[in-house]
Amino acid sequence: MFCLVYRSTAQTTFKQVDVKEMLEKARLSNARNSITGCLLYYEGEFIQYLEGNQIKVLNLFDKIKADKRHKDVTILAYGATDSREFKDWEMAYEDFFGDNDKINYFRLLIESYNEREDSSIHPNPSFNAFWLAVRENLGKPLESQP
């Protein structure tokens, strides 16, 4: 199993409705390619965690880098992982709109993750703890909810 995490900046013309449309297409494509993961959108920036077959994930990442809807695509981490963090999601998603305890907790996680000066791009315990906290706070995937 392989995972890759990147950050990018959304183009100023990219709106919330565009994110929803992008997610619908990504979920279908990811299901076909056995890719799972999580997309976080906060203050005009994306952080995305992708996991699956290394070649398929890297092919998807090449498409993402060429996508004109965002810029400044930067890899934050990549490497082998023992298991999927988001095995039940073709693409979990959180947009950090609204104001409640869960959203505020996510905001703090994102801000601390963005401010890390860690030069390592390989998954490490703090990296794993971050994505575990995200997964646990997202709840069940849509198809599993009653």
Side-chain angles (χ1 to χ4, degrees):
M1 187 63 50
F2 179 78
C3 69
L4 182 143
V5 179
Y6 74 89
R7 174 183 19 211
S8 68
T9 304
Q11 293 291 357
T12 55
T13 58
F14 202 67
K15 304 293 181 222
Q16 189 64 22
V17 68
D18 298 318
V19 174
K20 302 287 186 192
E21 180 183 312
M22 179 184 69
L23 275 171
E24 289 175 22
K25 292 177 182 176
R27 286 176 174 147
L28 292 172
S29 175
N30 289 351
R32 283 191 306 270
N33 290 295
S34 298
I35 293 174
T36 53
C38 181
L39 177 66
L40 306 176
Y41 185 62
Y42 179 61
E43 295 186 352
E45 291 203 359
F46 293 106
I47 295 179
Q48 187 167 24
Y49 180 103
L50 300 167
E51 59 192 1
N53 173 277
Q54 182 174 356
I55 292 174
K56 290 180 180 182
V57 168
L58 292 174
N59 286 338
L60 174 57
F61 184 63
D62 285 341
K63 291 177 186 175
I64 290 167
K65 289 188 297 186
D67 189 328
K68 300 297 181 200
R69 294 176 287 193
H70 54 135
K71 59 186 178 181
D72 303 325
V73 179
T74 306
I75 292 178
L76 299 177
Y78 67 89
T81 183
D82 293 333
S83 61
R84 291 181 188 265
E85 289 294 327
F86 296 93
K87 66 180 178 171
D88 297 325
W89 282 278
E90 281 83 22
M91 190 53 56
Y93 174 67
E94 178 59 65
D95 63 16
F96 300 100
F97 288 113
D99 193 21
N100 60 52
D101 289 341
K102 184 170 91 168
I103 297 298
N104 289 330
Y105 176 67
F106 273 133
R107 285 184 181 138
L108 289 172
L109 282 174
I110 292 293
E111 287 169 0
S112 66
Y113 191 75
N114 280 337
E115 292 171 2
R116 253 191 30 222
E117 294 294 329
D118 186 355
S119 61
S120 170
I121 58 172
H122 297 288
N124 58 51
S126 64
F127 167 92
N128 295 337
F130 172 82
W131 289 105
L132 175 63
V134 169
R135 185 186 73 222
E136 288 178 351
N137 281 280
L138 283 173
K140 292 186 241 177
L142 291 177
E143 59 273 5
S144 298
Q145 294 179 353

